[in-house]
Amino acid sequence: MSDSCTSGEPTCGTAAITRDHAGNAEALFMSFMLLSAVAATVAMLGCMPPNPSVHWPGHSWIHFMKRLHVIMSIGCFLIELCACFFAIFALHRTLAGGFSTHATSTVELLMRELEFEFVAVSSYFFAGTVMLMGPLGIRCFCMVQQGLRSDTLAASVMCLIVGVELLILSFFNAHLQHFPFNSFEEVLGRFVVLSFRRCVSGGSP
């Protein structure tokens, strides 16, 4: 053992250890694929607002809310469908090989070989999840209005949904601590940069 490995440093002897992380990468993209498929299914099953024929006096904008409900549901379905397909493409690329899957961590493997796939799937999945909160909020507002005829309770439900959405965003940002990103905005920005580079280079990574 070299002198540098007897100095008592906590990272000594571990920094150069690498192993195959292909299985972890496959599991990550598989989870994205399944969750995206579930979110897309939920969006389509709930694309129609509750009781489209019911309109309450003094709420002429309810027509706009119902149209927005349908538009956001379809938008969520399409975005989550893109996330699902990007996850499938990432799985296929990992299974096909052609690059070294050995690294010191799964994060290193993703950033070195599958960065575009990771930021694409993350951006589409989270954006679709956020968009799904719109139809959910409108549906809850309509149900509260119809059942209780209370603007205050309906507004409270909407605020609760916004709070849940912000909580999800905070957890998403927290799970990026081992990645070279600090927030969803940076992930999305990196996706835009890599997409532009691919367009300019004719599709090459």
Side-chain angles (χ1 to χ4, degrees):
M1 183 180 293
S2 64
D3 293 338
S4 61
C5 290
T6 60
S7 60
E9 295 181 1
T11 59
C12 182
T14 62
I17 296 178
T18 62
R19 65 185 181 88
D20 189 359
H21 288 274
N24 294 338
E26 292 167 8
L28 184 145
F29 287 116
M30 180 68 73
S31 66
F32 270 123
M33 182 185 69
L34 294 177
L35 291 173
S36 298
V38 170
T41 301
V42 171
M44 287 309 297
L45 291 178
C47 65
M48 293 303 296
N51 296 320
S53 61
V54 177
H55 303 283
W56 298 277
H59 294 85
S60 58
W61 42 265
I62 201 67
H63 296 277
F64 170 76
M65 288 182 64
K66 290 177 178 179
R67 290 183 177 88
L68 185 63
H69 182 287
V70 176
I71 293 173
M72 294 186 72
S73 295
I74 296 175
C76 172
F77 170 77
L78 295 176
I79 291 176
E80 293 294 354
L81 187 64
C82 289
C84 188
F85 275 108
F86 266 107
I88 292 174
F89 298 151
L91 279 172
H92 287 179
R93 185 168 178 228
T94 306
L95 293 171
F99 57 87
S100 175
T101 57
H102 284 74
T104 57
S105 67
T106 306
V107 172
E108 180 186 333
L109 172 62
L110 292 174
M111 294 298 98
R112 189 187 70 218
E113 304 290 350
L114 299 163
E115 182 183 11
F116 177 74
E117 289 79 0
F118 173 75
V119 296
V121 172
S122 298
S123 299
Y124 276 120
F125 172 72
F126 189 75
T129 303
V130 171
M131 185 169 287
L132 184 61
M133 292 296 176
L136 178 61
I138 294 174
R139 176 174 290 272
C140 291
F141 182 90
C142 292
M143 292 175 67
V144 172
Q145 279 285 5
Q146 179 186 4
L148 302 177
R149 297 288 199 264
S150 173
D151 290 339
T152 302
L153 288 178
S156 299
V157 171
M158 296 288 285
C159 290
L160 178 62
I161 292 175
V162 172
V164 170
E165 187 171 336
L166 294 176
L167 181 64
I168 294 174
L169 177 60
S170 67
F171 274 102
F172 182 88
N173 291 338
H175 105 283
L176 295 173
Q177 60 179 336
H178 298 299
F179 289 86
F181 310 109
N182 295 319
S183 64
F184 171 70
E185 291 78 8
E186 292 187 10
V187 176
L188 185 61
R190 185 60 177 166
F191 173 52
V192 172
V193 170
L194 293 178
S195 297
F196 178 76
R197 288 181 182 175
R198 285 188 170 229
C199 291
V200 172
S201 61
S204 300

